[in-house]
Amino acid sequence: MSILMSYAPAFPEMLLAVAAMVLLMVGAFSEDNESTGAFVGWLAIVAMIAAAILVALQPAGTQALFNEAFVVDQFARFMKLLILGGTATAMLLSFDFLSSKRIMKFEYPILMLLSCVGMMMMVSANDLIALYMGLELQSLALYVLASMHRENVRSSEAGLKYFVLGALSSGMLLYGSSLIYGFTGSTSFEIISNVAKSQDAAANIGLIVGLVFLLVGLAFKISAVPFHMWTPDVYQGAPTPVTAFFAAAPKMAAMGILIRALGGAFPGLETQWQQVIIFVAIASMLLGAFAAIGQNNIKRLMAYSSIGHVGFALVGLAAGTPEGAQGVLIYLLIYLVMTLGTFACILAMQRGDEMIEDIDQLAGLSQNNLPMAFVLAMLMFSLAGIPPLAGFWGKLYVFLPAINAGLYPLAIIGVIASVIGAYYYLRIVKIMFFDEPQEKFSPVPAKLGLVMGVALLFIFAFSIPQLGTPIVNAAQAAASSLRF
């Protein structure tokens, strides 16, 4: 028993891995039909809730396993709760859509569970090998999920593009990791950190080149410019619930490991990596602001929106301070809720069995379905960063650390990009409330309505101190466990 309890920090990951194996057996020995897929899906959600409870019950402080390659601290716990919440909500959004397309297979929730295990391993990684193992476990499941709708050519194309470009990014990350290992003699973040803090670290060209390749590999995963090229096609081609999942949980995990790697392994090379992060942040914000203006497909618009929001999150990271890391964590939580609420609205854009993705089809929605139009309008306002909604506070928490760190041009460009980006969010609101009505959508399913309602409450309630302050304090505690 004592040996088993020594692995307690990894119990949430172990629970999900065992649940995935058990559910695989349940699905394999049951009839291959819609009810089996739905049953396995609900059990997967229960498993994720149980894992979240285990994460929440873990003692405060830092615990390490496997020769300190796996670390559980406040930061890891915060990120794991976001990942589990995002994955479980994306699973909840999937049931009605997959059933209507007759692709509610039992493999779907199992792939999501395995991907979730990989993401949780990523944010606890304290070693380059552990980082890569978690990243690949997540990615391999995501490639299959993107091409889940096999009869749909766009879905197959999305899976193929994601796989090819994902393999390229993994190769770059591996090459960077090999250089870092070669010039530091270790894959452990602790030892790499000691080398990076030495006086001659800035002159260690091999280590810096390795760091750049590592950042390139991770920039692919967060779809930051100029490594964003897969995002619009994959978001549009993948089944809509899968797109919602991509925009939520994997984005949290990739940002989490980026923060962990820079704050845990390379605090001594802040001057070097800060330049890269500033460039990527500016490029992502500006491309997200301008490229989405001409989009008519709402999923492609959300893809460019996500690129822009990654840029905003990186503004806080560029500050290279605990305050900046705290701002990024708050921003990620708010972005997660806004994105899942928006995709619940997108999934409700349905007439019979036909999914509607054209923004112009939202015309006059306020006259046909005022509650849905109101929720989507508020989410658009929040994504645009209009006060007093949660999106405004998210941007404030990432811009202030940049200003305090003296990065005035970065913060100014961020504000300008936010103003430009507001155009395409407000355009959707204008179409819903002022254009001539189109044909009514089908009634909103209860599961989607629940997610919309929770997202709406959150974006309004975050500005209330009783709700916002505990979240800010939790993010501060999580950021303080890093080495910035």
Side-chain angles (χ1 to χ4, degrees):
M1 181 61 74
S2 60
I3 296 175
L4 180 63
M5 290 307 297
S6 66
Y7 292 102
F11 276 176
E13 288 83 357
M14 293 164 68
L15 169 67
L16 290 186
V18 170
M21 297 301 106
V22 171
L23 293 179
L24 183 62
M25 293 299 103
V26 170
F29 290 101
S30 303
E31 285 188 49
D32 187 13
N33 54 34
E34 300 290 325
S35 59
T36 300
F39 177 67
V40 172
W42 282 111
L43 289 179
I45 290 176
V46 171
M48 285 184 269
I49 293 171
I53 293 170
L54 285 178
V55 171
L57 292 177
Q58 286 177 331
T62 302
Q63 300 167 289
L65 283 177
F66 312 119
N67 200 22
E68 298 195 352
F70 183 93
V71 170
V72 178
D73 52 16
Q74 285 294 100
F75 174 78
R77 285 187 278 273
F78 187 94
M79 293 305 299
K80 286 178 185 179
L81 289 175
L82 292 192
I83 290 165
L84 286 163
T87 307
T89 307
M91 186 69 241
L92 187 67
L93 294 176
S94 303
F95 289 105
D96 296 305
F97 177 92
L98 297 180
S99 295
S100 68
K101 299 294 182 185
R102 293 174 176 79
I103 52 172
M104 186 65 212
K105 305 293 185 183
F106 73 87
E107 295 94 335
Y108 179 83
I110 292 166
L111 286 166
M112 289 187 78
L113 277 180
L114 292 173
S115 176
C116 191
V117 174
M119 288 185 271
M120 293 171 70
M121 286 176 62
M122 281 169 64
V123 296
S124 280
N126 196 39
D127 183 281
L128 291 172
I129 296 174
L131 183 160
Y132 185 73
M133 287 177 63
L135 189 68
E136 285 306 293
L137 178 57
Q138 168 213 333
S139 298
L140 290 171
L142 295 183
Y143 301 149
V144 182
L145 286 172
S147 54
M148 195 77 190
H149 196 180
R150 287 178 294 183
E151 288 77 22
N152 188 308
V153 176
R154 278 188 173 173
S155 179
S156 301
E157 181 186 342
L160 185 60
K161 283 183 177 177
Y162 197 13
F163 170 69
V164 172
L165 292 171
L168 174 65
S169 71
S170 295
M172 289 182 172
L173 189 143
L174 272 181
Y175 181 62
S177 299
S178 67
L179 283 173
I180 293 167
Y181 171 70
F183 284 90
T184 61
S186 176
T187 57
S188 169
F189 286 0
E190 300 276 352
I191 298 173
I192 294 169
S193 173
N194 293 334
V195 175
K197 287 177 182 175
S198 62
Q199 290 184 346
D200 58 344
N204 191 335
I205 301 301
L207 177 60
I208 293 170
V209 172
L211 170 60
V212 170
F213 271 98
L214 184 75
L215 289 175
V216 167
L218 293 176
F220 263 101
K221 301 302 179 185
I222 61 173
S223 62
V225 177
F227 312 105
H228 65 287
M229 65 288 291
W230 60 271
T231 315
D233 291 337
V234 171
Y235 272 44
Q236 183 179 4
T240 306
V242 176
T243 305
F245 177 51
F246 285 175
K251 197 83 77 179
M252 301 296 111
M255 283 296 298
I257 192 55
L258 180 61
I259 297 168
R260 167 84 72 188
L262 294 179
F266 300 101
L269 292 174
E270 180 183 323
T271 306
Q272 283 72 25
W273 60 253
Q274 193 179 50
Q275 298 172 37
V276 178
I277 296 298
I278 289 173
F279 168 76
V280 169
I282 291 173
S284 299
M285 288 188 294
L286 292 179
L287 183 120
F290 286 105
I293 289 174
Q295 300 301 321
N296 288 318
N297 183 287
I298 195 162
K299 287 165 69 176
R300 287 186 76 87
L301 183 142
M302 288 303 295
Y304 285 111
S305 170
S306 77
I307 293 168
H309 282 284
V310 163
F312 291 125
L314 290 176
V315 170
L317 181 57
T321 60
E323 184 191 7
Q326 175 194 2
V328 176
L329 295 180
I330 295 168
Y331 195 91
L332 290 176
L333 170 59
I334 293 170
Y335 170 75
L336 176 71
V337 176
M338 293 188 301
T339 300
L340 289 170
T342 303
F343 272 99
C345 295
I346 293 171
L347 281 161
M349 293 168 58
Q350 190 168 354
R351 295 192 182 108
D353 288 337
E354 183 190 1
M355 287 297 302
I356 309 297
E357 296 178 7
D358 193 343
I359 293 171
D360 291 334
Q361 294 297 311
L362 287 166
L365 181 63
S366 61
Q367 298 180 43
N368 294 331
N369 189 336
L370 182 58
M372 178 180 163
F374 177 75
V375 172
L376 185 53
M378 291 303 105
L379 288 166
M380 292 298 106
F381 285 142
S382 186
L383 284 165
I386 294 174
L389 301 175
F392 165 77
W393 296 105
K395 288 180 179 175
L396 185 67
Y397 276 109
V398 290
F399 287 156
L400 283 179
I403 292 169
N404 294 336
L407 302 175
Y408 301 112
L410 181 62
I412 290 168
I413 292 170
V415 172
I416 293 170
S418 188
V419 172
I420 296 168
Y423 166 78
Y424 55 81
Y425 296 123
L426 298 180
R427 173 173 165 255
I428 293 176
V429 178
K430 174 258 179 190
I431 288 172
M432 289 191 297
F433 282 86
F434 297 105
D435 285 12
E436 285 298 315
Q438 296 276 358
E439 185 184 343
K440 284 186 179 181
F441 292 136
S442 300
V444 177
K447 301 181 191 71
L448 302 185
L450 173 64
V451 175
M452 286 183 207
V454 172
L456 180 69
L457 286 174
F458 178 86
I459 62 172
F460 274 109
F462 185 83
S463 57
I464 301 171
Q466 286 80 357
L467 177 71
T469 303
I471 293 173
V472 172
N473 293 339
Q476 184 178 20
S480 65
S481 64
L482 299 166
R483 296 197 194 98
F484 283 111

